[in-house]
Amino acid sequence: MDHATYNQSFSLPIGPGSAYPPPPYHYRGVEDIFISYEPDPDGVAALLPPGVEPADEVPVCIAWGRWIPFSAFGPYNEAYIMIRATFGGQTFLYQPFIFTDNEIPLVAGREIWGFAKKLAVMERHSGGSGTPFGEQMLFTVERPRGQRLMTMAIACDRLQDPAELDDLPVLSTRLIPNAEPGPPSVSQLVRLDVVAPLHTSAAGTPKLWTGRASVSMDARSAVDPWHLLAPTRIIQGWFGVFDFDLGYGKVVHDYLAGDTYDSEGRAVSAAATR
């Protein structure tokens, strides 16, 4: 392989077998259950990186169960937790945990944006013939199979006005170990902005509902400690159908260089993060 061909490689393995192409990555008809709740503040403190603080006096998390029928990476399920957090005066949804059941979005998510993805077993059920859940949709997360880490359920009682939802960027920690002993090769906070239009019904109403919801962290796993963010109070749950595209992220802080960057990519003071 010559240098010109090598320079065209975007992801491993180099050459024609690359795992994924450059962004953007298209997602269509994505169905989300997401539930906001209050967790134990000590669990939140144990999972936020330096310089990132809870955005609320009583911390707020959002648990997510996602079914993706079509994406550039293929169909798959995903589950994650977000913490409402601040960094540099900006409010974000910080993502400490995320699972998928497809290897390609796993490697792309970890390598590009620093999403802390692992493989897990996720299943979504809804009421109807042969299922016992009646009016509820149920989303379960196991790792390994048989060890339940999270259970989510929602009854879609009424339509929700999309204007009442927060529209916050995602924040993640991109950490790549060094090939030699020493500090990591990459240690960054990465911001990702996503515009996610809702699908609309034949009546013209957005496909977004709210209703009675529950979420529980079922196992105390030392390997996957989602229980650190177990809910103490449920706030609200939603179900919606979305389209969106994932593009490049933006580095907002480099822990190795000690630099924080503004929205234009210019380095600013990072004294608060040291």
Side-chain angles (χ1 to χ4, degrees), residues 63-106:
W64 234 279
R66 168 168 286 175
W67 179 65
I68 302 165
F70 174 86
S71 81
F73 302 125
Y76 61 100
N77 293 307
E78 206 161 67
Y80 50 93
I81 303 175
M82 301 287 205
I83 302 170
R84 279 179 45 87
T86 61
F87 180 83
Q90 167 78 52
T91 302
F92 296 92
L93 293 178
Y94 178 76
Q95 187 182 81
F97 298 125
I98 180 168
F99 287 153
T100 182
D101 54 10
N102 180 328
E103 64 171 344
I104 301 304
L106 182 148

Side-chain angles (χ1 to χ4, degrees), residues 44-45 47-55 84-92 94 171 173 189 252-253 255 260 269-274:
V44 170
L47 294 167
L48 292 178
V52 180
E53 302 290 341
R84 279 179 45 87
T86 61
F87 180 83
Q90 167 78 52
T91 302
F92 296 92
Y94 178 76
L171 189 68
T173 304
L189 291 176
V252 298
H253 183 69
Y255 285 106
T260 297
S269 173
T273 68
R274 292 175 178 166

Side-chain angles (χ1 to χ4, degrees), residues 69-268:
F70 174 86
S71 81
F73 302 125
Y76 61 100
N77 293 307
E78 206 161 67
Y80 50 93
I81 303 175
M82 301 287 205
I83 302 170
R84 279 179 45 87
T86 61
F87 180 83
Q90 167 78 52
T91 302
F92 296 92
L93 293 178
Y94 178 76
Q95 187 182 81
F97 298 125
I98 180 168
F99 287 153
T100 182
D101 54 10
N102 180 328
E103 64 171 344
I104 301 304
L106 182 148
V107 295
R110 292 181 72 99
E111 293 171 0
I112 299 173
W113 306 289
F115 294 159
K117 293 192 176 187
K118 293 182 177 182
L119 292 173
V121 179
M122 286 156 284
E123 295 181 347
R124 190 187 69 157
H125 311 270
S126 59
S129 176
T131 62
F133 308 117
E135 75 284 6
Q136 299 181 71
M137 281 187 284
L138 186 74
F139 194 98
T140 60
V141 181
E142 297 182 348
R143 189 175 191 275
R145 183 180 290 278
Q147 177 164 262
R148 178 77 61 82
L149 296 179
M150 183 171 74
T151 303
M152 306 174 66
I154 184 170
C156 295
D157 294 324
R158 60 190 181 279
L159 287 169
Q160 170 75 54
D161 182 356
E164 296 178 6
L165 293 181
D166 280 339
D167 185 13
L168 297 174
V170 176
L171 189 68
S172 53
T173 304
R174 186 166 178 257
L175 184 69
I176 299 179
N178 203 315
E180 301 177 348
S185 293
V186 176
S187 181
Q188 302 169 331
L189 291 176
V190 177
R191 168 183 180 152
L192 179 63
D193 293 86
V194 182
V195 177
L198 279 155
H199 281 216
T200 56
S201 69
T205 55
K207 289 187 175 182
L208 180 66
W209 292 266
T210 187
R212 293 160 290 170
S214 64
V215 57
S216 61
M217 308 302 170
D218 305 277
R220 298 182 62 86
S221 169
V223 176
D224 298 296
W226 287 43
H227 64 275
L228 293 177
L229 298 178
T232 59
R233 185 177 78 89
I234 302 298
I235 299 173
Q236 189 171 358
W238 302 269
F239 171 76
V241 184
F242 302 87
D243 291 342
F244 55 86
D245 300 330
L246 298 184
Y248 286 99
K250 291 183 178 180
V251 176
V252 298
H253 183 69
D254 188 318
Y255 285 106
L256 299 179
D259 290 331
T260 297
Y261 302 92
D262 62 18
S263 60
E264 303 299 322
R266 296 174 298 221
V268 298

